[in-house]
Amino acid sequence: MPAATSRSRIAAEVDFDRNGRQHGFLRLFHSVHRSAYGFIPIPIVVLKNGDGPTALLVSGTHGDEYEGQVALCNLVRSLDPARISGRVIILPAANFPAALAGTRTSPIDEGNLNRLFPGDPDGSVTEQIAYHIEHELVPMADLICDLHSGGSSLMYVPSALFGGWQRDGGTAAGVAVLKAFGSPVAYVAESNQGGARTLSGGAARQGRICLGTEAGGSGHVTQSALRMVERGVNNVLVHMGILPAGSRIAPDGPTRFLEVGGPDYFVYAPENGLFEPLVELGDMVRAGQPAARIHLPETPWAEPVTTHFARDGFVLCKRVPGRTVRGDCLFHLGTDIGL
Ligand SMILES: [Zn+2]
């Protein structure tokens, strides 16, 4: 049931308290020229079997990140509610207009869902989605999986992450979920790029654990990244006791844990031009090492501008498009950490 204090204008077609499998839509009423009283149909699936913990699985927060969307489409059809104890709520296309368009932000209001939490029940379409997720769905969940990737402009070494990490051990339960996920690479960060404006920030406000992924990117899907997400989500459901222990899928090997820290982990384009990367994903680099050259095709006789890494680290993320403007993120690093 919706919280009594919620002012969300979005209406769910599913009954979150009913056992079995249900699918339907979150109705986001949107009055436009071609449809005065219509709604935007955001697909949602609820699987429930008796009492037990609740997992909320979200993808399509950014519409051009496809690995999580494909993984959750597969899960929606394959997960038998008779196999679970508790409840799984699946929202495969959270920013539905963006997911339909295959874009990071919504074509309706330019909203970046993961920069609009805690949302606004009376706000734009994307603000209404954020509000509904934080104030209606998150409170029902014990744990949230927020499945992202690098999207159109970035490529990651496929990884899981736990944001809002506390170095003093205060977030051990979140780190335990990260370990349960079992990806080859995983990282922690004390603050995410979007901070409190993300779903992860919203989960923290509601006292819930939120595990994320950066499952690849480049606006496409690979089988290896997809398998990482599917195995990880499965293993998180086992970790929560929603799936039986015998359902755990063993990782291919140990997880390499990294930390992503402050501004010196990031490299940005110093100039407008063409991006020539000088390292590749997975490389180990040193402080002062050249990271990229930005070429100036309008004046090709001019020397390219070289930018450098500010610290040692592992190349975790790399920009995809060649055409680049000053301020674009070209790389970010992670540094090995024991967890
Ligand atoms: Zn994303």
mmCIF file of all heavy atoms in Angstrom, residues 61-62 64-65 104 114 147-151 213-214, ligand 1:
data_model
loop_
_atom_site.group_PDB
_atom_site.id
_atom_site.type_symbol
_atom_site.label_atom_id
_atom_site.label_comp_id
_atom_site.label_asym_id
_atom_site.label_seq_id
_atom_site.Cartn_x
_atom_site.Cartn_y
_atom_site.Cartn_z
ATOM 1 N N THR A 61 17.121 3.754 -15.682
ATOM 2 C CA THR A 61 17.151 5.102 -15.097
ATOM 3 C C THR A 61 17.747 6.055 -16.120
ATOM 4 O O THR A 61 17.304 7.199 -16.267
ATOM 5 C CB THR A 61 17.974 5.081 -13.797
ATOM 6 O OG1 THR A 61 17.254 4.323 -12.832
ATOM 7 C CG2 THR A 61 18.244 6.479 -13.281
ATOM 8 N N HIS A 62 18.763 5.550 -16.815
ATOM 9 C CA HIS A 62 19.302 6.209 -18.004
ATOM 10 C C HIS A 62 18.921 5.331 -19.203
ATOM 11 O O HIS A 62 19.265 4.143 -19.235
ATOM 12 C CB HIS A 62 20.810 6.382 -17.897
ATOM 13 C CG HIS A 62 21.196 7.335 -16.803
ATOM 14 N ND1 HIS A 62 22.153 7.042 -15.860
ATOM 15 C CD2 HIS A 62 20.731 8.579 -16.514
ATOM 16 C CE1 HIS A 62 22.264 8.076 -15.024
ATOM 17 N NE2 HIS A 62 21.416 9.017 -15.394
ATOM 18 N N ASP A 64 19.854 4.997 -22.214
ATOM 19 C CA ASP A 64 20.857 4.491 -23.153
ATOM 20 C C ASP A 64 21.807 3.504 -22.480
ATOM 21 O O ASP A 64 22.903 3.261 -22.988
ATOM 22 C CB ASP A 64 21.642 5.645 -23.772
ATOM 23 C CG ASP A 64 22.422 6.445 -22.744
ATOM 24 O OD1 ASP A 64 22.064 6.388 -21.537
ATOM 25 O OD2 ASP A 64 23.399 7.130 -23.128
ATOM 26 N N GLU A 65 21.392 2.940 -21.348
ATOM 27 C CA GLU A 65 22.185 1.926 -20.648
ATOM 28 C C GLU A 65 21.381 0.636 -20.694
ATOM 29 O O GLU A 65 20.373 0.494 -20.010
ATOM 30 C CB GLU A 65 22.464 2.395 -19.218
ATOM 31 C CG GLU A 65 23.219 3.728 -19.215
ATOM 32 C CD GLU A 65 23.376 4.336 -17.834
ATOM 33 O OE1 GLU A 65 22.988 3.704 -16.835
ATOM 34 O OE2 GLU A 65 23.894 5.467 -17.770
ATOM 35 N N ARG A 104 19.972 9.210 -22.542
ATOM 36 C CA ARG A 104 20.275 9.316 -21.112
ATOM 37 C C ARG A 104 19.182 10.093 -20.371
ATOM 38 O O ARG A 104 18.781 9.737 -19.281
ATOM 39 C CB ARG A 104 21.627 10.030 -20.940
ATOM 40 C CG ARG A 104 22.070 10.204 -19.490
ATOM 41 C CD ARG A 104 23.508 10.709 -19.441
ATOM 42 N NE ARG A 104 23.996 10.891 -18.095
ATOM 43 C CZ ARG A 104 24.505 9.939 -17.323
ATOM 44 N NH1 ARG A 104 24.561 8.690 -17.780
ATOM 45 N NH2 ARG A 104 24.945 10.187 -16.112
ATOM 46 N N ASN A 114 18.592 10.293 -12.572
ATOM 47 C CA ASN A 114 19.539 10.061 -11.467
ATOM 48 C C ASN A 114 20.210 11.346 -10.975
ATOM 49 O O ASN A 114 21.227 11.291 -10.283
ATOM 50 C CB ASN A 114 20.595 9.029 -11.865
ATOM 51 C CG ASN A 114 20.917 8.087 -10.716
ATOM 52 O OD1 ASN A 114 20.063 7.812 -9.868
ATOM 53 N ND2 ASN A 114 22.156 7.607 -10.681
ATOM 54 N N LEU A 147 20.768 -0.626 -11.649
ATOM 55 C CA LEU A 147 21.627 -1.184 -12.698
ATOM 56 C C LEU A 147 21.927 -0.134 -13.766
ATOM 57 O O LEU A 147 21.060 0.225 -14.555
ATOM 58 C CB LEU A 147 20.960 -2.413 -13.311
ATOM 59 C CG LEU A 147 20.581 -3.497 -12.288
ATOM 60 C CD1 LEU A 147 19.820 -4.624 -12.979
ATOM 61 C CD2 LEU A 147 21.809 -4.026 -11.560
ATOM 62 N N HIS A 148 23.162 0.323 -13.771
ATOM 63 C CA HIS A 148 23.627 1.316 -14.748
ATOM 64 C C HIS A 148 24.753 0.733 -15.583
ATOM 65 O O HIS A 148 25.275 -0.344 -15.301
ATOM 66 C CB HIS A 148 24.169 2.561 -14.023
ATOM 67 C CG HIS A 148 23.117 3.376 -13.368
ATOM 68 N ND1 HIS A 148 22.661 4.560 -13.891
ATOM 69 C CD2 HIS A 148 22.429 3.178 -12.223
ATOM 70 C CE1 HIS A 148 21.741 5.070 -13.097
ATOM 71 N NE2 HIS A 148 21.568 4.251 -12.074
ATOM 72 N N SER A 149 25.148 1.519 -16.613
ATOM 73 C CA SER A 149 26.391 1.249 -17.331
ATOM 74 C C SER A 149 26.910 2.602 -17.794
ATOM 75 O O SER A 149 26.429 3.643 -17.340
ATOM 76 C CB SER A 149 26.162 0.291 -18.500
ATOM 77 O OG SER A 149 25.588 0.958 -19.605
ATOM 78 N N GLY A 150 27.887 2.593 -18.683
ATOM 79 C CA GLY A 150 28.458 3.867 -19.101
ATOM 80 C C GLY A 150 27.593 4.638 -20.086
ATOM 81 O O GLY A 150 27.876 5.795 -20.387
ATOM 82 N N GLY A 151 26.547 4.001 -20.620
ATOM 83 C CA GLY A 151 25.687 4.691 -21.577
ATOM 84 C C GLY A 151 26.403 4.971 -22.880
ATOM 85 O O GLY A 151 27.361 4.287 -23.250
ATOM 86 N N THR A 213 25.491 -1.024 -10.467
ATOM 87 C CA THR A 213 26.447 -1.579 -11.423
ATOM 88 C C THR A 213 26.858 -0.479 -12.396
ATOM 89 O O THR A 213 26.127 0.496 -12.597
ATOM 90 C CB THR A 213 25.882 -2.745 -12.270
ATOM 91 O OG1 THR A 213 24.801 -2.262 -13.068
ATOM 92 C CG2 THR A 213 25.409 -3.893 -11.414
ATOM 93 N N GLU A 214 28.026 -0.631 -12.955
ATOM 94 C CA GLU A 214 28.442 0.067 -14.176
ATOM 95 C C GLU A 214 28.862 -1.058 -15.110
ATOM 96 O O GLU A 214 29.991 -1.495 -15.111
ATOM 97 C CB GLU A 214 29.567 1.068 -13.905
ATOM 98 C CG GLU A 214 29.165 2.262 -13.052
ATOM 99 C CD GLU A 214 28.146 3.202 -13.708
ATOM 100 O OE1 GLU A 214 27.766 2.966 -14.879
ATOM 101 O OE2 GLU A 214 27.727 4.155 -13.038
HETATM 102 ZN ZN ZN B 1 23.398 5.484 -15.546
#
